[in-house]
Amino acid sequence: MSSGLPKLDVNGLESFIPEGEISELLKKTTTDIKQVRDIIAKSLDKNRLNPDETAVLLNATNPDIIEEIKEGARTLKKRIYGNRIVLFAPLYIGNDCINNCTYCGFRKSNLDVVRKTLTMNELQKEVTALEDRGHKRLILVYGEHPKYDADFIHDTVRKVYETKSGKGEIRRVNINAAPFDVDGFRRIKEAGIGTFQVFQETYYQKTYEAVHPSGLKANYLWRLFAFDRAMEAGIDDVGMGALMGLYDHKFEALAMLYHTIHLEEKFGVGPHTISFPRIEPAIGTDYANHPPYQVSDADFMKMIAIIRLAVPYTGMILTAREPVALRNEAIGYGISQIDAGSNIGIGAYSQTDEISDDKKSQFVLSDNRSLDQVIGELCDADFLPSFCTGCYRLGRTGEHFMEFAVPGFVKRFCTPNAILTLTEYLLDYATPETKAKGMAAIEREIAAMPDSNPQKSLLLERLKQVHSGKRDLFF
Ligand code: SAM
Ligand code: SF4
């Protein structure tokens, strides 16, 4: 059992982020196209890049070189991951917070935000509303507060899995919450979570300390070693991230690579996902309107392509903080998961009270399309929306790594599971228009599968079963 806030113990820990080295690497300029091509080829050969190679890509300013980098990312994405894109929704559980992150609408000193924590009853209503729209994968989001201890998170996760509505159910729950001690992580793992996300926000310690002036989050090392504790507790599925706008985005991209290497060396496994949210405006939060290191769209796209090449085995997430056109372009560079139909007001999916959503939200979203709309548009653009939870349910952890490393993995598992879960959505929840687009996309995918693929006949058999009412079939 655990209760309240964890006791911070950072004795003997030393940062593995070599700030001086990163700054030196980023001082150089890249002019040698052959060098860039060799680095891209190394990535396409299924190797993670080193910091100096990644810095060469980040230091490129020539438009032709940048175009080659983006083309490299597009090739890697197509060659390894195919058309599939996984969909999820965020569910905010509570916005009480003891920290004072200068960029966040939930910070303790913000008097403009209305504080709210879902009751178990309200949580059930939220989950029902999400299931009734067709969602299967959620990420639960919490402020940092003694109320949101490991037991509370455990109980909310269990509640989500227990809540079923008609044919709807949530099959995978990920978490974005403050980092715990080893015991706390263990308790949360018992609830059957997928990924535990903790964003370092900025890896540059001086800035980190300036933007986290008080509360537990003020301790840089406690957060930097969050995944070490999670791994020690048996959670090997972790999501890292940096909040773009606090410090130089190139520094953050390289620092995430050093963090990745640290985890690979110590635990033999890198991050399951990497996120790079840009700061969005937030209620009562002037800092968020003028972040000191705002990243332009062009630099952002270039960085996404470079992260894809640098850590080719990892999932990449881009949320509805970003506008539609930018999200669509970024999927081509290798984004593997997006949220859809998101509402980040607490209690907003089921409208449990009269207070407007923006007064309970952490920040403002840019992409307000419904899940149905997103699915229709993705299918139109030749992507294959997926609600697959197959690997997680079959205990195939490290699935992104397997997709990347095991020949034929995407063809054998990911594409068939995407087809099965998309079909469920189309039959149970889609509007007629989206249903037509989705069915056309599925036909396209099946036609592209060679008849020699032994999985094809099995898939067609299972698809028949889904059409006649069976649910939750996967490979
Ligand atoms: N309270 C926990 C924490 O800070 O780790 C988890 C939840 S916090 C609500 C989730 C993430 O939201 C933070 O890690 C941060 O990167 C991001 N965030 C905070 N303020 C933001 C803003 N104004 N715009 C975009 N993202 C923001
Ligand atoms: Fe609290 Fe997290 Fe927001 Fe910081 S980012 S104020 S810890 S909710």
Side-chain angles (χ1 to χ4, degrees), residues 197 199 239-244 256 273-277 315-317:
Q197 282 188 346
F199 300 161
M240 81 172 49
L243 183 60
M244 296 294 150
M256 285 196 278
T273 52
I274 296 185
S275 303
F276 20 77
M316 289 166 69
I317 300 179

Side-chain angles (χ1 to χ4, degrees), residues 207-281:
T207 301
Y208 183 94
E209 284 161 3
V211 297
H212 302 114
S214 61
L216 295 188
K217 200 162 163 181
N219 193 318
Y220 176 88
L221 286 177
W222 178 252
R223 200 162 176 98
L224 190 64
F225 280 84
F227 297 149
D228 295 59
R229 297 191 300 278
M231 298 247 175
E232 212 182 302
I235 298 175
D236 61 357
D237 185 336
V238 296
M240 81 172 49
L243 183 60
M244 296 294 150
L246 300 174
Y247 191 60
D248 177 17
H249 69 279
K250 292 189 257 177
F251 180 96
E252 307 294 10
L254 269 190
M256 285 196 278
L257 181 58
Y258 278 98
H259 197 171
T260 298
I261 294 169
H262 167 79
L263 296 177
E264 281 179 4
E265 285 176 350
K266 194 161 164 194
F267 301 100
V269 41
H272 187 75
T273 52
I274 296 185
S275 303
F276 20 77
R278 289 194 289 189
I279 294 181
E280 295 297 328

